[in-house]
Amino acid sequence: MQKIGKLDWLKNNINFFEIAKSLDELIIVDLSTNKTMTSDFLACVKDIAENVYIPITVGGGIQSKECCIEAFHNGADKILINSMQYAHPNEVETLISTFGAQAIMGCVEYNIVETKPVITHSKGTHVTDLSFNNAVEHCIELGVGELLINCISKDGTGFGYDTDILKEITSELSSPIIIMGGAGHWKHLNDGLKLDAVNAVATGNLLNFIGNSLIDGRKYLLKDGRNLVDWHQVQWKTK
Amino acid sequence: MNVFWCKSCLNMSTRPRIEFSADGVCNACQWATQKRDMDWSTRKVELASLLTWAKEKSHSYDCVVPVSGGKDGSYVAHQLKHKYNMNPLCVTVRPPLSLKVGESNLNNFIDSGYTHVQLSPASDIMQRLNQVGFIEGGYPYHGWMMAMKAAVIRFAFKMKIPLIFYGEDGEIEYGGSTETKNNATYSVEYAKRIYFQGSFDSILSIVKKEFVNRLADFEMWEFPSDNELKLRDIKIAHWSYFEPWDPYRNYIVAKDRCGLAENDTTNEGTFTNFAQNDQALAALHYYLMYLKYGFGRATQDAGIEIRRGAMTREQAINLVELFDGQYPTEHIESYLNYFGLSKEEFDTVISTFANRELFIKNNEGSWQPKFRIGETFDI
Amino acid sequence: MTKPVVIVDYGMGNISSLTAALKTVTDAVVEISADADRIHASQRIILPGVGNFKQAMTNLSQLGLVKTLQTAVCERDIPILGICLGMQLLGKSSTESGYTPGLDLYSGTVKKLKSNLVKVPHVGFNQVSDNGTKKKLLNGLKRNPDFYFTHSYRMTSHGSDSIGSTFYGENFTSLIEHDNIYGTQFHPELSQSNGLRLLHNFMTLTC
């Protein structure tokens, strides 16, 4: 993980809002250690939400309904939860009945330790003894609308997604699956999308996709037959 | 004359001693392909017999590994100790302008289970060598680099430890002379010629004249001669000869096994945060390299990423355009203090090294490239 | 001075995304209001909506907005765009949390998506077919454009000329265009360039 700069840097140096035109959705996670969902963070979310026209999922230390409401007020369309599902599963169910399953995305986060997945939460600091399959089932049973599967050990490596992990899932999955962790270039995104079990691919590897990398990457994916919308086909007029 | 880029990575034809195939692929990329395809077993056997030889020759420590607490030395030490059951003595030459992240990494490395010695050459002499290196050659940590070779080799020589393992042969791995490609070990003569551009002795003699009563302190910068090394049978090797060198793998192992931590923020002049965090002069060194040759740290790091398959050349161009050649502002005060220069004097020194065929000074006084990355041009 | 476009504020809906998207495609002032005068003075009305139909109708009633909107649409002929729950509210009724009448501005009824073949709620990008009749809202878009859906209830209506449909386990009404009444089950403000084009189309309708 590296701090690359403030939101202004993202806007000015890498023209993030332009790059965002080649995305389908955005997930914004607060990785601060001491406190999360601060007003600074929410201000960033708001700024981004006003400048991108895709669904935004916000997460990182979500613990309560009030957190969710704050996030929604600042432009979030969906909420990402992780540690809450272990600490307060009933609260997660309350969030789902209050805001709707479509508004709550669950996260199964894991490290690979000696070739085996170890389920973690709280930004990788807490370890559970759940098996991967159990963690997935547990999350889905709570009723979340979508499931994000995030491999922390592969994060930033550019080695590609851990597609082997999907073999660990034994149950018929009723939630759409998003995989994350390890993508370095468009070929990794392509490999991920080609899998039947995968509905979406995510990457936090911002630096690998600056400039034309994402727009070109998306073109390659479309050319290779992935079921994606070609957002650049339509002319829409700005004032 | 044409200036062009490798078709596979972003190495520039301006890089000293670089070679290109008929297809325009640089020798670093060619080597990367060879590394993947070749049979390493012969070299593994060479390593095994070298290690056996070293063990037989020594009483306690059987090899010296220069380390900084960073990923490469830590990886090599780790392999020698845990995979090959050797007894490495790890040696650091104290860097000028050391950084907290680096110091912490070195401590973590030592605590992860290694015997370690720090060599601290006289800092006033080192400062003067660095200063002369900076002003005369645009090499701001030349004195330190010299000690990292000379002091370490002299130390091994004195301790009668027969084998020294440096990390990678940068010439082979990153695009340079392929002279040592098939050599397991190398000589002091080679080091002086290639690593110090032949200026080792001249810079040393300039500074020696200024420290007339301190000749004993110059021992840290005196290589044993190749003859002396031969007599005591000390061998200098690069680990990268025996095993495919992979900086990213080194980082993962060092992080996992030796307590390596990254820098919080991106390092200046590049897009990574996990390398060369031990001292502040790196950013200045890379900026000067950029002005001399047209490529900086981001280009170098991009090459590593491309060769390990984590990034395409097109993606890398974006990163190099964004990060390469950043004027080193983060530690500028430290540099001015260390070299005893005003900002104007400092910038004047730097300007002497800007290749005017590659760069032009703009109205604000900063050097701008005349070229676009990846686009062949004539000089 | 051009009249404003008013986004109806009745306490339900992700208004900030919508506002931002609108501001990108129009020079008109974008107001967020529940005031009858402001709504009646507008050039366009947008009825957003995220949440429960019953709760929404309760809020609208309490704010006096039912009459306001009916007057604005039927007597003043102001074009209205209902988005997501907002589109559903334009219809006759919904069975969400029990039978609740809607604004009755359009002859569609709302029931839950059939969940025997697909997972409900319907979340994600899906295509909208114009059923063979050109739709003003879809002007300039390729055939069967994608938009972002997130809902559990859907409208079914008669009169295929006025509707766009989407398939999710079943065909349902995802777009309506009838006189000055427009609606999208999907979220144009979350549908990238397609959605922005649609909002642009709504703002530049020649009525």
Side-chain angles (χ1 to χ4, degrees):
Chain A
M1 202 60 61
Q2 36 174 317
K3 289 185 199 160
I4 56 175
K6 293 197 181 289
L7 187 60
D8 279 339
W9 186 91
L10 220 68
K11 289 197 244 180
N12 302 329
N13 289 54
I14 71 169
N15 207 354
F16 179 72
F17 297 145
E18 194 58 36
I19 293 174
K21 289 182 184 172
S22 299
L23 292 172
D24 299 293
E25 300 199 32
L26 190 61
I27 303 177
I28 306 175
V29 182
D30 188 346
L31 289 177
S32 335
T33 36
N34 293 326
K35 45 189 187 309
T36 50
M37 297 292 140
T38 56
S39 52
D40 279 346
F41 173 75
L42 291 169
C44 281
V45 172
K46 189 164 196 287
D47 195 335
I48 295 171
E50 285 169 1
N51 288 283
V52 303
Y53 310 104
I54 47 180
I56 294 179
T57 304
V58 168
I62 299 273
Q63 291 298 330
S64 66
K65 205 164 106 175
E66 289 65 39
C67 265
C68 295
I69 294 174
E70 275 297 302
F72 290 135
H73 272 151
N74 283 284
D77 300 290
K78 297 185 268 190
I79 301 292
L80 178 71
I81 55 102
N82 188 6
S83 50
M84 211 178 156
Q85 64 185 313
Y86 306 114
H88 307 288
N90 292 339
E91 297 266 328
V92 175
E93 285 172 340
T94 307
L95 294 186
I96 291 171
S97 57
T98 310
F99 302 113
Q102 66 270 24
I104 309 293
M105 184 188 288
C107 180
V108 170
E109 172 190 283
Y110 67 101
N111 252 324
I112 302 176
V113 178
E114 268 146 46
T115 76
K116 293 251 164 290
V118 170
I119 308 297
T120 58
H121 63 85
S122 303
K123 296 142 200 178
T125 56
H126 283 62
V127 169
T128 74
D129 51 18
L130 283 170
S131 74
F132 182 80
N133 197 41
N134 283 347
V136 166
E137 280 179 350
H138 172 256
C139 196
I140 293 185
E141 267 157 33
L142 288 174
V144 299
E146 293 160 293
L147 184 62
L148 174 68
I149 298 180
N150 182 15
C151 179
I152 311 188
S153 359
K154 287 233 170 193
D155 185 39
T157 61
F159 290 150
Y161 292 114
D162 175 24
T163 49
D164 285 343
I165 199 70
L166 297 167
K167 298 180 195 141
E168 299 269 331
I169 302 172
T170 52
S171 48
E172 269 294 307
L173 280 186
S174 47
S175 270
I177 302 283
I178 309 152
I179 55 171
M180 181 161 141
H185 48 71
W186 77 268
K187 292 190 189 103
H188 294 143
L189 304 177
N190 203 27
D191 290 339
L193 286 172
K194 282 198 226 174
L195 298 170
D196 283 337
V198 170
N199 301 92
V201 289
T203 178
N205 200 336
L206 208 57
L207 293 179
N208 276 35
F209 294 101
I210 62 172
N212 287 335
S213 298
L214 194 63
I215 181 172
D216 286 342
R218 199 179 174 96
K219 281 188 196 149
Y220 291 131
L221 292 170
L222 283 162
K223 209 166 162 206
D224 204 53
R226 304 287 73 75
N227 186 15
L228 291 176
V229 182
D230 189 354
W231 296 122
H232 295 276
Q233 271 192 331
V234 67
Q235 292 300 310
W236 59 277
K237 298 202 180 89
T238 43
K239 52 182 175 164
Chain B
M1 187 178 92
N2 249 359
V3 173
F4 58 92
W5 280 259
C6 170
K7 291 272 184 298
S8 170
C9 72
L10 291 172
N11 265 344
M12 275 176 87
S13 58
T14 49
R15 193 185 172 95
R17 301 176 292 280
I18 196 166
E19 292 161 14
F20 292 89
S21 68
D23 303 328
V25 174
C26 78
N27 47 350
C29 289
Q30 293 172 55
W31 171 237
T33 312
Q34 282 163 22
K35 265 156 80 170
R36 270 195 300 271
D37 300 336
M38 73 190 238
D39 181 3
W40 286 84
S41 50
T42 329
R43 294 200 180 190
K44 283 254 143 48
V45 167
E46 272 187 83
L47 176 64
S49 54
L50 190 60
L51 296 180
T52 308
W53 167 85
K55 254 208 184 319
E56 280 165 8
K57 278 204 73 174
S58 39
H59 304 291
S60 54
Y61 302 106
D62 40 40
C63 56
V64 161
V65 181
V67 300
S68 60
K71 60 184 175 28
D72 295 331
S74 302
Y75 173 76
V76 173
H78 180 270
Q79 289 295 89
L80 282 162
K81 183 155 189 179
H82 296 283
K83 188 168 178 192
Y84 294 98
N85 292 318
M86 297 295 283
N87 208 1
L89 179 58
C90 302
V91 182
T92 299
V93 174
R94 184 170 176 256
L97 299 186
S98 70
L99 294 171
K100 288 222 160 24
V101 172
E103 286 167 11
S104 164
N105 280 341
L106 183 56
N107 283 331
N108 288 345
F109 167 73
I110 296 166
D111 288 339
S112 71
Y114 298 90
T115 303
H116 175 266
V117 163
Q118 174 163 293
L119 301 176
S120 308
S123 45
D124 55 347
I125 296 178
M126 170 140 359
Q127 187 273 345
R128 189 64 189 121
L129 285 165
N130 288 341
Q131 191 177 50
V132 172
F134 174 50
I135 294 171
E136 303 299 323
Y139 299 115
Y141 49 38
H142 206 58
W144 181 51
M145 290 265 120
M146 288 158 72
M148 278 205 276
K149 287 284 187 286
V152 170
I153 295 171
R154 178 163 281 281
F155 176 77
F157 176 77
K158 288 205 149 177
M159 296 283 288
K160 297 185 184 157
I161 303 175
L163 190 48
I164 307 166
F165 278 110
Y166 283 91
E168 80 280 36
D169 186 341
E171 296 290 300
I172 306 293
E173 294 298 319
Y174 308 127
S177 161
T178 49
E179 203 176 307
T180 50
K181 193 170 173 183
N182 297 310
N183 300 354
T185 59
Y186 65 98
S187 64
V188 165
E189 181 277 328
Y190 173 84
K192 279 185 174 181
R193 180 165 43 90
I194 299 295
Y195 299 132
F196 302 106
Q197 325 281 349
S199 66
F200 189 99
D201 291 328
S202 54
I203 291 182
L204 205 53
S205 66
I206 291 172
V207 175
K208 260 187 184 170
K209 292 198 182 98
E210 299 168 11
F211 290 89
V212 165
N213 297 320
R214 302 273 304 282
L215 287 183
D217 287 328
F218 279 87
E219 201 183 328
M220 289 279 196
W221 284 276
E222 269 168 35
F223 283 102
S225 68
D226 279 317
N227 250 346
E228 284 178 292
L229 290 176
K230 204 168 172 192
L231 282 168
R232 202 164 279 180
D233 211 358
I234 308 273
K235 295 192 200 293
I236 316 166
H238 282 124
W239 188 255
S240 60
Y241 176 84
F242 302 104
E243 198 190 69
W245 188 254
D246 182 348
Y248 197 80
R249 168 217 52 206
N250 298 353
Y251 157 58
I252 298 292
V253 170
K255 195 173 148 93
D256 211 30
R257 303 288 162 89
C258 310
L260 178 81
E262 307 89 346
N263 190 7
D264 221 5
T265 53
T266 319
N267 287 340
E268 264 189 321
T270 187
F271 50 89
T272 62
N273 65 343
F274 53 80
Q276 289 221 29
N277 281 316
D278 54 342
Q279 39 70 32
L281 286 166
L284 177 57
H285 166 84
Y286 284 113
Y287 182 61
L288 284 157
M289 180 171 89
Y290 175 73
L291 290 179
K292 289 174 189 173
Y293 304 114
F295 58 88
R297 194 169 173 181
T299 299
Q300 197 128 290
D301 287 346
I304 294 172
E305 293 297 283
I306 292 168
R307 284 175 223 121
R308 76 180 182 91
M311 189 184 295
T312 63
R313 189 176 183 273
E314 291 71 32
Q315 284 170 295
I317 290 177
N318 291 306
L319 285 170
V320 170
E321 276 175 353
L322 185 59
F323 288 107
D324 222 12
Q326 278 174 351
Y327 184 94
T329 50
E330 193 183 346
H331 299 290
I332 185 73
E333 290 304 318
S334 302
Y335 303 152
L336 299 181
N337 257 342
Y338 186 70
F339 291 122
L341 298 170
S342 68
K343 179 90 178 13
E344 293 70 37
E345 288 167 329
F346 180 81
D347 284 338
T348 305
V349 170
I350 289 181
S351 290
T352 54
F353 299 105
N355 184 335
R356 270 92 176 139
E357 290 183 302
L358 300 175
F359 293 95
I360 188 162
K361 218 175 196 180
N362 70 6
N363 292 330
E364 285 87 50
S366 67
W367 291 100
Q368 299 302 315
K370 289 183 184 174
F371 54 88
R372 291 221 60 200
I373 298 173
E375 289 175 20
T376 306
F377 70 104
D378 257 333
I379 56 165
Chain C
M1 204 179 83
T2 47
K3 295 180 190 177
V5 50
V6 173
I7 301 177
V8 181
D9 183 6
Y10 62 102
M12 295 173 74
N14 190 345
I15 293 187
S16 55
S17 299
L18 189 49
T19 310
L22 270 172
K23 284 184 176 171
T24 310
V25 301
T26 184
D27 272 327
V29 172
V30 177
E31 285 183 19
I32 300 158
S33 177
D35 182 82
D37 291 335
R38 299 312 304 150
I39 290 171
H40 290 161
S42 69
Q43 57 159 305
R44 299 281 188 276
I45 300 165
I46 300 194
L47 184 63
V50 171
N52 181 285
F53 191 101
K54 197 183 187 82
Q55 184 62 59
M57 284 311 297
T58 306
N59 287 15
L60 287 173
S61 303
Q62 282 173 354
L63 291 164
L65 284 168
V66 177
K67 192 101 200 343
T68 302
L69 290 171
Q70 285 166 343
T71 308
V73 172
C74 301
E75 289 170 35
R76 291 171 184 259
D77 295 328
I78 303 174
I80 186 167
L81 172 67
I83 294 176
C84 195
L85 175 62
M87 181 184 102
Q88 295 177 359
L89 292 170
L90 297 174
K92 286 181 100 62
S93 65
S94 171
T95 56
E96 189 174 9
S97 305
Y99 177 89
T100 313
L103 292 169
D104 203 14
L105 293 169
Y106 182 77
S107 62
T109 51
V110 178
K111 293 194 172 76
K112 198 161 189 197
L113 274 166
K114 291 185 196 146
S115 53
N116 45 339
L117 293 171
V118 290
K119 183 165 197 248
V120 174
H122 173 208
V123 185
F125 290 95
N126 205 341
Q127 292 176 314
V128 173
S129 158
D130 62 5
N131 290 330
T133 312
K134 261 185 92 69
K135 299 292 182 291
K136 293 176 192 171
L137 289 184
L138 302 180
N139 185 27
L141 294 172
K142 299 277 169 186
R143 275 200 73 219
N144 302 328
D146 281 79
F147 294 95
Y148 190 75
F149 289 84
T150 176
H151 61 116
S152 300
Y153 281 76
R154 88 300 183 250
M155 184 184 277
T156 48
S157 38
H158 308 286
S160 60
D161 279 2
S162 64
I163 67 169
S165 312
T166 294
F167 185 81
Y168 186 68
E170 54 169 309
N171 266 318
F172 67 90
T173 301
S174 49
L175 183 145
I176 59 178
E177 267 186 27
H178 181 73
D179 294 337
N180 57 326
I181 295 163
Y182 299 83
T184 63
Q185 177 60 70
F186 50 83
H187 287 269
E189 77 282 12
L190 302 180
S191 300
Q192 274 285 22
S193 48
N194 287 358
L196 290 169
R197 177 69 200 215
L198 186 145
L199 288 172
H200 163 82
N201 291 343
F202 178 66
M203 291 309 302
T204 55
L205 290 167
T206 44
C207 318

